[in-house]
Amino acid sequence: MTPSLHLWLIPALPLLGAAINGFFGRRFSRQAVSAVALTFAGGAFLMALYVAARFSSLELPYTEFLAHWIRSGSGPHMFVANFEFYLDQLTLVMLLVVTGVGFLIHIYSVGYMWEEGGFYRFFSYLNLFMFFMLTLVLAGNYLQMFIGWEGVGLASYLLIGFWFTKDSAASAGKKAFIVNRIGDFGFLIALFLLIKHFGSLNFGQVFASVSQLPGEIAGYGLLTSIGLLLMVGAAGKSAQIPLYVWLPDAMEGPTPVSALIHAATMVTAGVYMVARSHVIFDRAPNALTVVAIIGTLTALFAATIGIAQTDIKKVLAYSTVSQLGYMFMACGVAAYSAGIFHLMTHAFFKGLLFLGAGSVIHAVGGEQDMRKMGGLRQYIPITFITMSVATLAIAGIWPFAGFFSKDEILARAYQANPAYWFIGVTTAFITSFYMFRLWFMTFWGDYRGRDTAGGHADSHGHGGHGDPHESPMVMLVPLMILAVLSFVGGWVGIGGRFEQFLAPVFGEGASTAATEALSHGTEIALIAISLGAAGMGWYLAYLLYLKRTDLPQKIADMLGGLYETVVHKYYIDEIYATLFVKPLVDGSTRILWHGVDQGVIDAAVNDTAEGARHVSDAARHMQSGNLRSYAGWVAAGSAIVIAYMIWMGVR
């Protein structure tokens, strides 16, 4: 019998850290707050490493029961949901990514947030987020997963709106919360269907029951409906069309929040949920096709928006949406292991890019506009080197991490449908272009920000200090570690080792996206085309933003309205505001104000007072001072009493 791994400690440690800093952090020094946050986040990472060390000796999947939770009904129709943790190869990958990258971001945050107000509050929220994310990953059933799913939504709301005195930050937090609730509605309906038809939300029981059903090759049946509803939930959490609009606005939060939530963990929850539910999707090919189409279109659409952004964090935000689209495209062609592989490498290089962007912002006194940067490589060399590694990785340059995971996705997409592959390669070219555009505008040429970086503190508390300056070591060490991972992290996929590791989870769905493997020649050709696309993206960015810096404005003037459309992100936010937000807000205002506030709440007070006035007005006429009137009232009252007594006597 396998001894207990005490998996419950992994989420419990960050929760304890959140509670200590949340309740007592106001009285602590910043050093004490940092120590609490890092100790418990680091403890979770050490526990994940301990589980990894013991992993090969376990009988998988490994389940650890904690407590009884819900029991309803009786006999064969009894519904049971327990608190229990579930461990397999997929869980282990997610555990190491969430705790490892999360711990590095905690370390970085100590330096980045040191001068901020609400220091203890920030780290309490950060630990709380890790607790919910780990609960989601370790959950042994869909209901427990939903607890973590909603929890990360709550924690992201708190972190995005951390600077709550800024209207833009408060609005971004609310937008993220509301848009995610739309997706969560689909997730909930899917859970109701699972309960109705399978009587359980336990992964083992649900997947065993589903595996007995035939695939829904034609038409739309139960499994297709469940798959589509799960995808609605995933689209909200992982920022896919049409629910992606919350993620770019979420850049209003502190930069470490962008790195943790919107690069490495929360936004990957939807990808993880689809991959975990692969048994359902494998038997619902129409739902899987929808996943592939949404992912492919999102990858291309978001990449085109990233071309024209000038805020360094907004470029990375749309890049995140695009890369998540790649992961969904992989899942949609049943290459789940390739999607999880890219999820892991993306956590390394995108986490590094966001943290590097934070180091750049710190260096230039809070400025985020790349047009006011330039030439920073001579001022912040360590940040420059580490961000260069991340840029090469996301562009898919060999032998960096992104090359291996992205090309795995493109190969599987080519097997499934060459149209997916073509859009994926086009997206790879655009990704390379906008990332090297960011790289050239930020680090090359002459520094263009002396008039903005030297005189004042920004709204984030990072004051100007004359010339740009390198970040402290507490911020640079996580960058160095992530740079190493962004370089070597993809090597675990060489020879299909990562795919083989996940094969027990995904089975045949992970091994091939088509009936036949690619020939060696075709595989080499696809790699060459992909590298060529990345090289073309680099060259175009080099030409426009280093050699001929006058060309971008000329091209923008030539394109006119098309360029303005891209700059304004295709006016999607404005369209949503016109079609949904304004009518709903105005309608809700009418309902809430006129219907509820005036018609119910005010009426309960005003009408009560008015009724009392009418009653008292009628009663006062009885007190007329006229003796005959009093005698009449006494007689009437006596008659009523006598009549009542007679009636009671008769009964």
Side-chain angles (χ1 to χ4, degrees):
M1 181 177 178
T2 305
S4 174
L5 292 176
H6 302 293
L7 292 176
W8 63 273
L9 280 172
I10 299 178
L13 287 170
L15 179 63
L16 184 57
I20 292 173
N21 273 333
F23 288 118
F24 309 111
R26 185 187 293 271
R27 303 180 183 88
F28 292 169
S29 66
R30 291 177 185 261
Q31 289 85 352
V33 170
S34 304
V36 169
L38 294 182
T39 297
F40 289 102
F45 178 50
L46 290 176
M47 278 297 301
L49 290 176
Y50 167 73
V51 170
R54 295 277 307 278
F55 192 76
S56 60
S57 64
L58 299 175
E59 183 179 342
L60 299 173
Y62 169 84
T63 302
E64 196 168 282
F65 174 82
L66 253 68
H68 295 295
W69 184 12
I70 298 174
R71 288 176 176 267
S72 177
S74 60
H77 302 293
M78 183 170 68
F79 173 78
V80 177
N82 296 321
F83 275 115
E84 57 187 14
F85 290 137
Y86 184 89
L87 178 67
D88 62 5
Q89 290 83 353
L90 177 58
T91 309
L92 182 65
V93 171
M94 295 298 296
L95 273 183
L96 293 173
V97 169
V98 172
T99 58
V101 177
F103 179 53
L104 292 175
I105 293 171
H106 273 71
I107 296 172
Y108 176 95
S109 299
V110 172
Y112 191 87
M113 301 296 292
W114 189 259
E115 298 179 5
E116 290 290 343
F119 189 76
Y120 76 95
R121 183 166 52 89
F122 178 82
F123 280 99
S124 178
Y125 295 164
L126 216 58
N127 276 182
L128 183 66
F129 173 84
M130 280 195 68
F131 160 70
F132 281 122
M133 189 67 198
L134 291 168
T135 299
L136 187 158
V137 168
L138 282 165
N141 57 68
Y142 279 108
L143 191 58
Q144 197 174 333
M145 177 190 277
F146 191 73
I147 297 293
W149 187 274
E150 290 298 294
V152 293
L154 169 64
S156 69
Y157 165 76
L158 296 172
L159 286 166
I160 294 167
F162 176 75
W163 288 308
F164 55 83
T165 56
K166 287 176 58 182
D167 287 342
S168 57
S171 297
K174 288 185 287 187
K175 185 175 184 179
F177 195 80
I178 292 168
V179 173
N180 271 275
R181 298 294 75 71
I182 296 171
D184 295 349
F185 179 74
F187 193 2
L188 266 178
I189 300 300
L191 300 193
F192 294 155
L193 286 175
L194 289 173
I195 295 171
K196 169 69 175 175
H197 294 278
F198 302 113
S200 176
L201 291 176
N202 180 276
F203 291 147
Q205 291 177 251
V206 169
F207 297 156
S209 299
V210 170
S211 63
Q212 303 301 315
L213 300 178
E216 296 176 355
I217 305 300
Y220 294 84
L222 172 65
L223 298 181
T224 302
S225 300
I226 293 173
L228 291 175
L229 289 166
L230 289 175
M231 182 56 197
V232 171
K237 196 67 72 185
S238 293
Q240 298 296 286
I241 291 174
L243 300 178
Y244 72 92
V245 291
W246 66 271
L247 192 144
D249 287 15
M251 297 302 109
E252 290 291 338
T255 299
V257 173
S258 303
L260 178 65
I261 297 180
H262 308 117
T265 52
M266 172 181 159
V267 292
T268 61
V271 180
Y272 168 74
M273 185 262 281
V274 171
R276 173 61 72 199
S277 307
H278 71 94
V279 176
I280 296 172
F281 283 97
D282 285 341
R283 285 159 180 76
N286 289 323
L288 212 54
T289 299
V290 171
V291 173
I293 292 172
I294 289 177
T296 304
L297 294 179
T298 301
L300 178 63
F301 179 76
T304 61
I305 297 177
I307 291 174
Q309 299 302 303
T310 55
D311 183 315
I312 189 170
K313 287 177 66 176
K314 284 291 179 71
V315 174
L316 297 178
Y318 282 104
S319 171
T320 297
V321 177
S322 180
Q323 295 300 305
L324 288 165
Y326 261 114
M327 298 174 207
F328 277 102
M329 178 168 66
C331 291
V333 298
Y336 304 105
S337 60
I340 297 300
F341 188 20
H342 197 60
L343 182 156
M344 181 186 73
T345 61
H346 178 263
F348 299 152
F349 59 69
K350 185 55 65 63
L352 173 54
L353 284 168
F354 270 115
L355 296 185
S359 184
V360 169
I361 293 166
H362 177 89
V364 296
E367 183 59 66
Q368 295 184 197
D369 192 333
M370 296 185 298
R371 294 170 297 186
K372 298 176 182 178
M373 297 179 187
L376 292 179
R377 70 187 189 282
Q378 58 185 317
Y379 299 103
I380 48 175
I382 297 177
T383 300
F384 165 67
I385 293 170
T386 54
M387 281 198 74
S388 297
V389 172
T391 302
L392 291 166
I394 192 173
I397 305 298
W398 184 88
F400 296 87
F403 165 81
F404 297 96
S405 57
K406 183 198 69 177
D407 273 48
E408 182 70 18
I409 292 174
L410 290 177
R412 297 307 170 86
Y414 181 83
Q415 286 178 288
N417 189 328
Y420 297 151
W421 170 83
F422 178 76
I423 295 175
V425 169
T426 304
T427 302
F429 160 71
I430 298 172
T431 300
S432 177
F433 170 70
Y434 69 64
M435 285 308 307
F436 281 112
R437 170 181 177 265
L438 178 152
W439 190 62
F440 284 121
M441 289 182 73
T442 303
F443 295 109
W444 297 82
D446 298 322
Y447 181 51
R448 302 179 293 275
R450 296 189 187 281
D451 57 333
T452 61
H456 63 280
D458 76 318
S459 61
H460 303 174
H462 301 110
H465 301 284
D467 285 339
H469 55 286
E470 188 62 278
S471 299
M473 286 305 295
V474 71
M475 293 170 62
L476 293 178
V477 169
L479 296 185
M480 297 174 191
I481 296 172
L482 285 171
V484 172
L485 292 172
S486 297
F487 182 67
V488 306
W491 298 359
V492 299
I494 295 176
R497 286 178 295 181
F498 190 82
E499 184 178 359
Q500 291 165 13
F501 177 73
L502 290 177
V505 178
F506 298 127
E508 295 180 1
S511 61
T512 180
T515 55
E516 297 180 2
L518 292 172
S519 67
H520 183 68
T522 302
E523 195 172 342
I524 295 298
L526 293 178
I527 292 173
I529 293 171
S530 175
L531 286 172
M536 287 173 58
W538 169 84
Y539 180 74
L540 186 59
Y542 167 78
L543 180 65
L544 295 179
Y545 294 97
L546 190 62
K547 297 300 291 182
R548 293 288 307 278
T549 54
D550 59 312
L551 282 180
Q553 187 58 51
K554 291 180 180 178
I555 294 172
D557 293 339
M558 182 178 67
L559 294 175
L562 177 60
Y563 176 77
E564 286 299 314
T565 300
V566 176
V567 168
H568 289 91
K569 299 160 282 191
Y570 298 101
Y571 299 100
I572 298 297
D573 281 311
E574 290 81 358
I575 293 170
Y576 281 14
T578 301
L579 294 179
F580 304 113
V581 179
K582 194 173 186 300
L584 285 174
V585 170
D586 289 349
S588 299
T589 300
R590 284 194 296 270
I591 294 170
L592 290 173
W593 174 249
H594 296 291
V596 178
D597 194 48
Q598 289 186 333
V600 178
I601 298 173
D602 286 353
V605 177
N606 297 337
D607 290 357
T608 300
E610 188 69 14
R613 189 181 69 81
H614 286 303
V615 171
S616 62
D617 183 63
R620 72 183 178 83
H621 290 296
M622 297 171 61
Q623 307 297 324
S624 63
N626 188 310
L627 187 60
R628 285 183 300 175
S629 176
Y630 292 158
W633 284 113
V634 170
S638 300
I640 292 172
V641 170
I642 292 169
Y644 174 74
M645 293 173 67
I646 293 172
W647 181 67
M648 290 297 293
V650 170
R651 292 187 65 188

